[in-house]
Structure formats: structure tokens, C-alpha cells
Amino acid sequence: MTIEELQAKYRDAVGRETGSDDRRYLIWKIREAEKGRINVGPRKTRARDGEPLDVKILPLRLEADVADKMDEAWRAKGIKNRMEFFRGAIGHYLAHLGARDAAALFTNAGATGA
């Protein structure tokens, strides 16, 4: 079979498109679908469980020892949680930069909605 024929058979067996042109992978995946070992049909997206659609989650990666020291510092000052610390820190830095309107969005009153 040609790659195009395998892709068509994949589409029929798995129930969704593939961009793969790896013959061995396509054959394996078709067999797994025929044996009932994989989910077939369109991929299901994870539910957002009430999270507002106008909220963005921003990633932040820190080394473990840096995060531990940071957590010690905000806990020692009586801050309730890391998110409250981050919001306060961002608001403080925005105010320092002169972005007062943006900084105001990070006050406790403005930050409680997320």
C-alpha cells in the first residue's frame, strides 16, 4: 500500500486525520484501532470546568531551590499564597515602571476575580 492508501485506511479505522507518513506507525495504529486498543473518533478536548474563557494562564518556570527561597520569603511576610504574592509583585513592578493603570488591576480588589 502507498502512504496515501495507508493514511486513508488510518482515517477509516481511527476516525481522524493523520499527517504521519511513517509506514510502520500507520500500520501499527490501524491494527491497534481494529483490535480496540485505542480510542477512535475525534480527539476530545479537556473541559475547562468553569474557568472563564477570558482568562490566560501564564507559565513560569523556576529552579526548585529558587522557588523554595521565594516561598519562604512571602510566607514570612504573612502572604496567604503564591498567587497573592505574584499578583502583588507584578502590581508593584508595574507601578514602579509607571504603568499605574495596569498596576491597579493587580490590587487585592482587582485580583480576587481569578
Side-chain angles (χ1 to χ4, degrees), residues 72-89:
E72 286 177 28
W74 62 257
R75 284 185 181 117
K77 296 299 179 183
I79 297 172
K80 288 188 275 186
N81 56 51
R82 192 182 283 158
M83 185 58 65
E84 182 180 318
F85 167 72
F86 282 146
R87 287 184 177 126

Side-chain angles (χ1 to χ4, degrees), residues 32-69:
E32 292 296 296
E34 290 171 347
K35 293 176 184 176
R37 293 184 182 162
I38 63 168
N39 292 329
V40 297
R43 290 266 184 219
K44 294 175 179 65
T45 58
R46 278 193 256 161
R48 294 182 67 114
D49 293 336
E51 182 181 304
L53 296 177
D54 59 347
V55 171
K56 290 185 178 183
I57 297 172
L58 305 176
L60 177 67
R61 183 180 305 245
L62 298 173
E63 291 81 12
D65 59 332
V66 172
D68 291 343
K69 290 289 186 191

